[in-house]
Amino acid sequence: MDEEVAISRITDIQIYLFHLLAVEMNMQYNYNKRLVKNAQELRKNMTPEERHLWYDFLRYLPMTPHRQKNIGIYIVDFYVPSARLVIEIDGIQHREEEYLEADRKRDMDLKKLGNRVLRFSNFDIKMNFPIVCYDIMQALGIRESDLKERKSH
């Protein structure tokens, strides 16, 4: 068996196992009809920090990012499917124990579906924006020179 066939078979097996895991967890990968309306509303009403990250950085990525994306039973702030990267922006309430526990469970569930999760606080977005962008680029394995050119008006 040559290497390409072996890799193709491994990929098919991974997809099959991923599907079984999603079914077992009662989650449909990337889509939950009940959450569509909520996700649309969240896209229309992004927080200032989400808006800043989206308009000033994420939309210039060389791969396609999504805003307020349904993944299983969750709506994540941002998702880069080609890298299986979830990016969450947390308000101050996420410092409270009940939110911390819910975030841990959510992250674990998203990771079980094969995703990586990056979390940033609103403070990080406001005060450390270049570092946030750098961390995202590191997670995606890209450099600043890989970003799409910004159009001037």
Side-chain angles (χ1 to χ4, degrees):
M1 179 181 327
D2 69 48
E3 191 173 320
E4 284 184 18
V5 172
I7 291 171
S8 175
R9 290 189 70 191
I10 290 170
T11 303
D12 290 343
I13 292 168
Q14 288 171 327
I15 291 169
Y16 176 72
L17 291 174
F18 172 75
H19 176 71
L20 287 178
L21 176 63
V23 169
E24 183 179 315
M25 293 177 66
N26 195 23
M27 300 174 103
Q28 291 183 354
Y29 175 63
N30 276 349
Y31 191 69
N32 184 322
K33 286 183 180 182
R34 294 173 300 177
L35 298 177
V36 171
K37 275 232 183 283
N38 292 353
Q40 289 170 340
E41 279 302 311
L42 289 169
R43 277 192 292 275
K44 288 181 198 172
N45 299 303
M46 286 193 296
T47 67
E49 294 79 15
E50 290 169 342
R51 198 172 296 112
H52 180 30
L53 185 60
W54 176 256
Y55 286 107
D56 296 328
F57 179 69
L58 292 177
R59 68 185 193 150
Y60 297 105
L61 292 174
M63 59 278 293
T64 304
H66 298 272
R67 299 178 291 158
Q68 307 302 335
K69 179 71 175 166
N70 297 1
I71 299 180
I73 60 170
Y74 302 107
I75 299 173
V76 299
D77 292 333
F78 301 101
Y79 184 58
V80 183
S82 62
R84 312 228 20 165
L85 181 65
V86 171
I87 303 166
E88 293 283 71
I89 311 300
D90 295 334
I92 196 161
Q93 72 274 15
H94 287 264
R95 291 183 185 172
E96 297 173 18
E97 189 54 41
E98 67 185 79
Y99 284 95
L100 289 170
E101 184 56 38
D103 287 344
R104 279 191 286 273
K105 180 184 179 341
R106 177 185 175 101
D107 290 356
M108 191 170 37
D109 289 347
L110 291 166
K111 287 175 183 177
K112 283 179 183 175
L113 291 173
N115 297 297
R116 294 175 294 151
V117 180
L118 291 180
R119 285 189 173 277
F120 300 100
S121 69
N122 284 341
F123 180 84
D124 292 331
I125 300 297
K126 289 178 195 170
M127 303 305 291
N128 301 309
F129 192 70
I131 295 169
V132 169
C133 296
Y134 177 81
D135 287 349
I136 294 169
M137 287 189 293
Q138 287 290 108
L140 294 172
I142 64 171
R143 295 180 296 240
E144 193 171 343
S145 61
D146 296 324
L147 298 175
K148 296 176 189 171
E149 192 173 323
R150 295 173 190 243
K151 297 178 184 174
S152 57
H153 297 334

